[in-house]
Amino acid sequence: MNFRKYLFILVPYSWLLLLFLVPFIIVVKMSLSDTEMAIPPYTPYFTLSQGWQGIVDFFSQLDFENYIFLAEDNLYWKAYLSSLKIALISTTFTLLIGYPIAYGMANAAPEWRPTLMMIIILPFWTSFLIRIYAWMGILSQEGFLNQFLLWTGIIDQPLTILNTNIAVYIGIVYTYLPFMILPIYASLEKLDISLLEAAKDLGCNRSQSFWLITMPLSKAGIIAGCFLVFIPVLGEFVIPSLLGGADTLMIGTILWQEFFANRDWPVASAVAVVLLLLLMIPIILFQRSEQKQREAEQ
Amino acid sequence: MKRFTWFNAVSLTLGFAFLYIPMLILIIYSFNSSKLVTVWAGFSTKWYISLFSNDAFIDAAWVTLKVGFISSCAATVLGTMIAYIMVRGGRFFGRGLFSSMIYAPLVMPEVITGLSLLLLFISIGLDRGVFTIILAHTTFSMCYVSVVVSSRLASFDVSIEEAALDLGCTPFDAFKSVTLPIIAPAVVSGWLLAFTLSLDDLVIASFASGPSSTTLPIKIYSSVRLGVSPEINALSTIMIAIVTFGVLTSSIISKRAIKRQRLEEEQAFKNG
């Protein structure tokens, strides 16, 4: 029994160690290496052939040069800050658009709810790339949005939306909307209607009972939804690279460029390590709030 | 008290319109005969024909399906094992590290996962190709599978398994004939999730693939960067159709399975 149990544990455990933890250690090591115009494009190169002395030499050649480079170069600071700004603004918009939808779903007749849920989930299954691509045709100079606005006479010159930050915001709100709606809907659905009835009996009007009861009781869903949008958006690559323009700075695209265009692996690795450190804060906050929520429910 | 108001109706309508209009436009204009994507010039299926005669797309589609199928099967097996260990395994050495390694890939930005796997493949001298994409996809999607399966495992009664063990089943038999049938719907939806994640992935596949192995998302990305093209619209329409069909069928099947299970339980309760 025990042997089988350990075999059961050992297979996925060693898989994750080998393909998740070890690669990550390699990234950290790479971020401490120096860039070299060679194949592979970095030094020092780890080998066991020179014995102990080789290992000592290897560690003595590692340094924090790349991190100093990141700290001194304005570009990286700006990219980290602008990723934070984009993630914050787009999370706010996703919340403002997602909440009324979740609220509407929770207020719908119970027999309709599974269907409404399906309508929200279905786009989530379709390709992310295709959903972003769909917006390219809408937002471009001669795209559908401009055609429509020109036709209605609201504007007389086509607007430039594609390849600006506005397009990035639209893309993020569009693709991450289900992540916001589902947790909010889950918390609204659990809400006890008798509380709202009691509030009405006690003289609250609709908006008072919304702000005094519905909103506070859906706080857990709002927090979860905001984190579920904010965390992945920070490291987003596809949306800024397809919808964003030259002035869209996001850390995901910077990392990609460092790696593929500049072939600077050590700097790309340092960018990755800093991004991960940056992500630790919201992730830890999120775990704490989930824990609190779980304790409150028990 | 009437709860559903005109405000709810308007926000749902606008919300659903926002979610679906971009895809509808994409689908409609895949049947446009003009090369200009935004000008309607009559119905035509010529972009579908040119898509199917484009070898590069067909090859990429095969690679993608192969990677998706193999990696989602592997991820389902490993992810189910992980879920079983985490929910039923009790204490073992390194459990904390194990559970954080399961959750980390869910929040890890794809660029970092991709970069780290690429550096691993290079440092152990593994040639990049279909095999390395499969390894990469299995690694991140097994974590999603384990989340889906463990929520189902945690919600059912352990005593059924214990009863099977008391009646003389080996732990493996108990797993196979008691646990597995109960968690089967979650395993199936875990597989589906893994498969769609793999079909969809651009970033990790770009890092893990070699020059000879292009997946569909990589191909789409490289042609889309140059602008909108009607062929990509046609391809997108096909992919949307497949996914919609798959998701709707699986949800109908699982709904029926749940209903049948409930009926059987009621029947057993009456008879007993």
Side-chain angles (χ1 to χ4, degrees), chain A residues 6-251:
Chain A
Y6 282 104
L7 194 72
F8 226 71
I9 294 175
L10 211 62
V11 175
Y13 204 149
S14 39
W15 183 292
L16 280 175
L17 277 179
L18 215 73
L19 283 142
F20 182 75
L21 198 64
V22 171
F24 190 67
I25 294 167
I26 297 177
V27 171
V28 175
K29 180 240 132 188
M30 180 68 73
S31 74
L32 302 172
S33 308
D34 294 328
T35 314
E36 221 20 66
M37 291 296 268
I39 297 172
Y42 59 89
T43 59
Y45 197 63
F46 188 75
T47 65
L48 285 171
S49 56
Q50 282 146 339
W52 179 246
Q53 190 52 44
I55 296 174
V56 172
D57 283 348
F58 169 78
F59 277 105
S60 64
Q61 281 183 56
L62 295 178
D63 53 44
F64 288 94
E65 209 178 12
N66 296 310
Y67 292 95
I68 296 166
F69 172 68
L70 289 193
E72 282 173 351
D73 195 325
N74 250 336
L75 171 75
Y76 300 99
W77 277 112
K78 277 190 194 148
Y80 284 113
L81 287 177
S82 126
S83 294
L84 275 175
K85 192 188 93 188
I86 290 177
L88 263 176
I89 295 177
S90 50
T91 305
T92 313
F93 275 109
T94 317
L95 175 63
L96 291 178
I97 295 170
Y99 198 96
I101 300 174
Y103 187 60
M105 283 168 71
N107 279 350
E111 64 267 27
W112 273 98
R113 286 182 201 165
T115 314
L116 296 176
M117 187 90 150
M118 198 68 204
I119 296 175
I120 295 295
I121 293 176
L122 197 59
F124 168 81
W125 288 86
T126 52
S127 169
F128 188 77
L129 192 57
I130 289 175
R131 281 182 286 154
I132 305 293
Y133 166 70
W135 281 98
M136 291 176 69
I138 296 173
L139 299 176
S140 66
Q141 282 275 326
E142 58 284 350
F144 297 102
L145 186 65
N146 271 324
Q147 282 183 13
F148 179 74
L149 292 177
L150 286 170
W151 176 73
T152 53
I154 296 172
I155 53 169
D156 46 16
Q157 284 288 323
L159 301 168
T160 311
I161 306 173
L162 190 65
N163 302 329
T164 66
N165 279 354
I166 296 170
V168 175
Y169 291 133
I170 295 174
I172 292 172
V173 171
Y174 181 68
T175 41
Y176 286 98
L177 199 56
F179 291 85
M180 183 66 86
I181 294 175
L182 293 176
I184 295 178
Y185 167 69
S187 67
L188 282 174
E189 204 200 7
K190 278 189 287 187
L191 195 125
D192 191 353
I193 311 171
S194 56
L195 290 176
L196 295 175
E197 282 163 0
K200 197 185 173 195
D201 290 345
L202 293 171
C204 275
N205 62 28
R206 250 179 198 284
S207 89
Q208 275 172 325
S209 72
F210 176 80
W211 290 108
L212 289 173
I213 294 167
T214 312
M215 200 64 175
L217 284 176
S218 59
K219 211 177 81 189
I222 295 175
I223 293 172
C226 286
F227 278 117
L228 286 178
V229 175
F230 184 81
I231 294 170
V233 167
L234 262 187
E236 185 55 53
F237 165 75
V238 183
I239 298 172
S241 93
L242 287 180
L243 300 178
D247 57 338
T248 309
L249 266 180
M250 280 193 84
I251 208 65

Side-chain angles (χ1 to χ4, degrees), chain A residues 234-273:
Chain A
L234 262 187
E236 185 55 53
F237 165 75
V238 183
I239 298 172
S241 93
L242 287 180
L243 300 178
D247 57 338
T248 309
L249 266 180
M250 280 193 84
I251 208 65
T253 43
I254 296 281
L255 197 162
W256 181 282
Q257 275 164 18
E258 285 301 344
F259 190 85
F260 284 108
N262 302 350
R263 285 188 63 80
D264 195 336
W265 298 5
V267 168
S269 303
V271 170
V273 172

Side-chain angles (χ1 to χ4, degrees), chain B residues 80 84 88 149 152-153 156-158 160-162 164 171-185 187:
Chain B
T80 309
Y84 195 72
R88 298 273 190 270
V149 175
R152 174 84 182 158
L153 255 182
F156 93 87
D157 200 351
V158 202
I160 312 175
E161 270 170 52
E162 285 166 353
F172 183 71
D173 279 339
F175 177 77
K176 201 179 65 184
S177 50
V178 177
T179 315
L180 207 54
I182 295 177
I183 60 169
V187 174

